[in-house]
Amino acid sequence: MTPALSVRNLRIEIPTRRGVLTAIDDLSFDIAPGEVLGMVGESGAGKSITGSAVIGLLEPPGRVAGGEIHLAGERIDHLPPERMRHIRGKRIGMIFQDPLTSLNPLYRIGDQLVETIMTHQRMTTAEARDKAQRLLEEVGIPAAKTRLSSYPHQFSGGMRQRVVIALALAADPELVIADEPTTALDVSVQAQIIALLKRLCAERGAAVMLITHDMGVIAETADRVCVLYAGRLAELGPVRDVVKHPQHPYTIGLMSAIPSLTGDPDEALAQIPGSMPRLGAIPAGCAFNPRCGYRFDPCTVERPPPYDAGAGEAACFLHAPAFARQAPAETLRQADAAGIQLSIPNGEAAR
Amino acid sequence: MIAFAIKRFVQALGVMLVVALISFMMFRFVGDPVNQLVGVDTPPAERAALREALGLNDPVMLQFGRFVVKAAQFDFGISYQFKQPVASLIASRLPATLELSFVSALFALAVGVPMGVYTGLYRNTLLARGFLAVSLIGVSLPTFLIGILLIFAVSVNLGWLPSFGRGETVNLGGVWNTGLLTKSGLQSLILPSITLGLFQMTLIMRLVRGEMLEVLRTDYIKFARARGLSRRAINFGHALKNTLVPVITITGLQLGSIIAFAIITETVFQWPGMGLLFLQAVQNVDIPIMAAYLLLIAFLFVTINFIVDLLYVAVDPRIRIGGRTAG
């Protein structure tokens, strides 16, 4: 089946006064129709910028410097602005982080919905208003008919995010990019909004690119996860496998850093030493190598491409048979203990 | 909404009373009013009679009360120099100043807002940079210099437009002399309005530009783009409307100052308005005219502010008082 979204070798550059920064380097992933792909990573790892690139709204001077983006088999990264505009909102919907600022404060909710609907579909104003009301009902806003003539400031944060979802889904897009849709919301509302988003997209068969740094949200919602580090793919795989049996040292560090309810409260939380490099100072070889406990010779020289690892793929030389043989026995033993499924035969690993 | 309007109205009344007090005190501080009215050789008995007739021996509060009541009925006394009622003097000059001011404000808005939007949207183009450079001249050159330069270039060298006066006027209903209905009147209006409005125009342009840059960065503009709305709908529907509140504030306040500071432009172009009248009054220490002028300008400011407050409410629903609250 043709994927709803296919990103191939994407490279995003940001020219600055002190040289060109590479925000995304050689990133490839697919999202099947109806699938939810979670994008996780630290701040600055390139999650949001990937979403912006897909919908064609990179902030200048950022630009797509290489690779291709295909929407349902059709290449969209090089379309002229006016054609791309017709895809935005109609075929790709986007939800932003802060519902308090996503809606224009000076226009009634109904007018913003009608405006969006009529931009993409041939309808009379009355039909568009009917549709707007149905959308509001679908996202669970009570008394939808009267709420159409309310202003954004008359809604609470959670209600506003429901309106934002209604706006993003107004033209039944085949792909929805949700950029941290719950980060700005009250914890008690987050679960409702995520469930709502997931249900509405499933009903419509829309693929979802869910950008977040909340592993809990990912674990509950996503079908597959894409872990980014310093603008590069670290690990990509089915959500259960990535959460339970992470294969990339960075993902292992991330998962062990999640606080647990059953853990010893006096014990310090696990953390990955150091911090993610700035875009201008990404080390040679694997971007994660200075912080990695399993580092060996090729890691500081050559950049690892994604290798098959467990049920998914991981960009780590431990998964490359040719390189893993060079690793010291101690490193291999530790990796095996950490649950990394080494690609070399058992006998050799236990060497 | 009505409660809001009434509240603002009461506040406006308070401001007017304070200004009335200041202009009332002017009569006292600039010397004995009786001395201004009579000759040097007037006998003391006559002076005393005049003092009594003018009510100058009454308690100050009573005099102030009388001043306010009279002012409210547009009775500002008799001009010392013209020996005519101040109210009719001002009424004969007011149309000239108001027409000049409103045309200037209109010019400033009609040119300033589009230029501001353009420079905000296409800030890196050559034309936008050119607008900004020109606006620096508008902000930094003093009004009288602009006026004289315009006269020199357009009237003296090119001979296209008259350099002074108001041209022919048409009397409307016996109270309003308008220059807007005759060709020479309109021609005479062009140079003074540009002179008076240029500063405001550059101010509005820079303000709209700044606000546009600010608004274009907001999340709701990003979201509007992500919804695939057309550029026109985004720039003029969503962005421009959000820049309007500060623009209305500044335009309102500036309209007041345009009227108040038309003095310089009126002098340069010999425009027969209130500003010219006021300058003559200052030279001749004609207190009643000065006091009336002060009150009138304060009244205009207060009225404009009142209208501006009501306009906010029309533009921005969040300012509306007593609206339904979040559910």
Side-chain angles (χ1 to χ4, degrees):
Chain A
M1 191 158 58
T2 321
L5 176 73
S6 173
V7 172
R8 288 283 142 253
N9 308 102
L10 180 67
R11 180 181 176 89
I12 299 173
E13 289 180 350
I14 307 171
T16 65
R17 262 176 227 167
R18 281 178 296 167
V20 176
L21 301 179
T22 307
I24 289 291
D25 198 354
D26 201 21
L27 176 67
S28 301
F29 63 89
D30 288 340
I31 311 181
E35 186 188 36
V36 180
L37 177 76
M39 297 278 267
V40 285
E42 294 169 49
S43 302
K47 313 182 294 284
S48 293
I49 205 168
T50 306
S52 302
V54 169
I55 200 168
L57 284 178
L58 272 182
E59 295 270 341
R63 58 189 157 93
V64 175
E68 296 179 4
I69 301 168
H70 296 261
L71 181 68
E74 183 197 347
R75 187 167 173 194
I76 58 166
D77 56 286
H78 63 330
L79 289 181
E82 195 53 21
R83 293 226 7 232
M84 195 58 210
R85 174 170 87 71
H86 289 291
I87 289 178
R88 280 200 290 274
K90 176 145 185 62
R91 299 183 59 194
I92 308 176
M94 187 146 184
I95 297 163
F96 289 101
Q97 176 172 350
D98 192 351
L100 300 182
T101 56
S102 289
L103 298 166
N104 191 329
L106 303 189
Y107 287 94
R108 297 172 197 276
I109 297 299
D111 294 341
Q112 300 194 38
L113 274 161
V114 167
E115 184 185 25
T116 312
I117 294 167
M118 290 181 68
T119 303
H120 299 296
Q121 287 158 332
R122 287 185 164 274
M123 279 193 182
T124 63
T125 315
E127 286 167 348
R129 260 195 114 66
D130 280 348
K131 174 153 189 188
Q133 189 189 330
R134 279 202 308 281
L135 278 165
L136 281 194
E137 280 161 5
E138 261 190 281
V139 297
I141 288 181
K145 199 175 174 67
T146 52
R147 293 304 255 167
L148 280 177
S149 47
S150 298
Y151 287 96
H153 70 276
Q154 295 168 321
F155 287 81
S156 66
M159 283 294 164
R160 275 191 236 188
Q161 195 64 310
R162 286 170 191 267
V163 174
V164 169
I165 290 174
L167 277 164
L169 296 178
D172 299 318
E174 53 218 84
L175 171 69
V176 174
I177 301 171
D179 190 351
E180 312 244 11
T182 56
T183 310
L185 296 178
D186 200 302
V187 183
S188 58
V189 186
Q190 287 185 355
Q192 293 173 20
I193 295 291
I194 283 291
L196 174 77
L197 182 65
K198 187 165 182 180
R199 177 171 62 79
L200 291 179
C201 290
E203 281 170 14
R204 288 167 162 74
V208 181
M209 180 171 158
L210 179 64
I211 298 166
T212 180
H213 48 240
D214 186 338
M215 284 310 297
V217 168
I218 292 282
E220 259 171 57
T221 319
D223 301 309
R224 287 192 305 140
V225 197
C226 175
V227 183
L228 294 183
Y229 183 80
R232 302 169 179 190
L233 179 82
E235 183 165 358
L236 177 66
V239 69
R240 282 189 62 84
D241 296 273
V242 173
V243 173
K244 298 268 191 237
H245 312 290
Q247 293 301 309
H248 190 285
Y250 175 60
T251 324
I252 294 173
L254 269 191
M255 296 306 157
S256 60
I258 296 174
S260 122
L261 278 178
T262 51
D264 181 359
D266 294 328
E267 201 179 311
L269 289 173
Q271 58 175 351
I272 309 173
S275 59
M276 198 172 72
R278 284 179 295 112
L279 286 181
I282 296 177
C286 173
F288 187 60
N289 85 67
R291 302 170 70 188
C292 183
Y294 311 98
R295 178 181 55 202
F296 58 108
D297 290 340
C299 299
T300 51
V301 186
E302 201 173 326
R303 183 179 156 191
Y307 293 103
D308 285 341
E313 47 189 303
C316 174
F317 284 126
L318 286 173
H319 296 285
F323 287 103
R325 279 196 187 87
Q326 301 170 17
E330 181 58 21
T331 304
L332 289 176
R333 208 167 11 252
Q334 279 176 12
D336 196 39
I340 293 182
Q341 295 167 21
L342 296 167
S343 58
I344 50 178
N346 276 338
E348 281 185 66
R351 169 178 52 145
Chain B
M1 174 67 199
I2 290 176
F4 171 77
I6 290 173
K7 207 171 117 193
R8 285 299 153 102
F9 185 71
V10 172
Q11 285 172 353
L13 272 186
V15 172
M16 284 310 294
L17 268 182
V18 172
V19 176
L21 183 64
I22 293 171
S23 61
F24 169 73
M25 289 196 306
M26 231 164 34
F27 286 94
R28 298 278 158 160
F29 285 128
V30 194
D32 186 353
V34 173
N35 280 345
Q36 313 277 346
L37 285 171
V38 296
V40 186
D41 49 358
T42 313
E46 243 174 78
R47 288 173 182 248
L50 188 60
R51 195 177 294 279
E52 188 61 38
L54 287 173
L56 293 177
N57 292 329
D58 295 338
V60 175
M61 280 317 291
L62 189 65
Q63 289 188 45
F64 179 56
R66 200 154 47 213
F67 176 78
V68 169
V69 170
K70 279 188 170 175
Q73 296 162 340
F74 302 108
D75 179 1
F76 300 102
I78 309 284
S79 155
Y80 296 162
Q81 49 174 338
F82 298 105
K83 312 294 180 205
Q84 280 179 39
V86 172
S88 65
L89 275 173
I90 285 187
S92 70
R93 300 295 195 99
L94 190 63
T97 298
L98 285 188
E99 276 177 13
L100 174 63
S101 306
F102 281 109
V103 171
S104 313
L106 214 63
F107 158 74
L109 273 179
V111 181
V113 171
M115 272 170 80
V117 171
Y118 182 85
T119 49
L121 288 178
Y122 309 101
R123 62 190 149 133
N124 290 326
T125 60
L126 219 64
L127 189 59
R129 284 164 199 259
F131 281 164
L132 275 187
V134 171
S135 79
L136 263 187
I137 299 175
V139 170
S140 50
L141 277 189
T143 315
F144 66 88
L145 194 59
I146 294 171
I148 290 170
L149 283 177
L150 278 176
I151 291 176
F152 179 70
V154 181
S155 302
V156 178
N157 281 354
L158 297 169
W160 288 350
L161 295 169
S163 61
F164 72 92
R166 229 188 138 193
E168 286 174 54
T169 56
V170 177
N171 193 289
L172 292 180
V175 281
W176 192 279
N177 275 313
T178 178
L180 295 175
L181 297 175
T182 61
K183 189 160 167 263
S184 72
L186 286 175
Q187 280 177 340
S188 318
L189 198 53
I190 295 175
L191 288 188
S193 354
I194 292 178
T195 307
L196 186 54
L198 196 66
F199 178 78
Q200 324 294 337
M201 184 205 90
T202 51
L203 196 74
I204 288 173
M205 178 196 128
R206 285 176 165 264
L207 182 74
V208 171
R209 173 179 181 272
E211 288 292 322
M212 278 298 272
L213 290 179
E214 188 80 13
V215 168
L216 287 174
R217 272 199 297 267
T218 58
D219 286 350
Y220 53 83
I221 294 298
K222 249 168 85 185
F223 189 48
R225 288 210 182 100
R227 281 186 282 148
L229 302 186
S230 67
R231 283 176 69 89
R232 244 182 65 138
I234 292 169
N235 292 341
F236 294 96
H238 288 266
L240 186 59
K241 196 175 177 187
N242 273 285
T243 66
L244 284 186
V245 165
V247 172
I248 290 175
T249 316
I250 296 296
T251 312
L253 289 177
Q254 291 299 321
L255 186 62
S257 11
I258 286 182
I259 298 173
F261 299 114
I263 295 176
I264 295 167
T265 310
E266 289 185 2
T267 314
V268 171
F269 288 92
Q270 286 300 301
W271 190 263
M274 285 191 304
L276 220 52
L277 181 70
F278 177 74
L279 273 191
Q280 288 168 346
V282 170
Q283 279 157 7
N284 298 314
V285 204
D286 198 341
I287 306 287
I289 290 186
M290 285 155 70
Y293 185 79
L294 185 64
L295 269 175
L296 185 70
I297 294 298
F299 177 74
L300 285 170
F301 262 96
V302 164
T303 312
I304 290 166
N305 268 326
F306 184 63
I307 295 171
V308 164
D309 279 342
L310 296 185
L311 272 181
Y312 286 163
V313 178
V315 170
D316 194 335
R318 285 168 296 183
I319 300 175
R320 262 164 232 177
I321 312 292
R324 280 165 296 162
T325 42

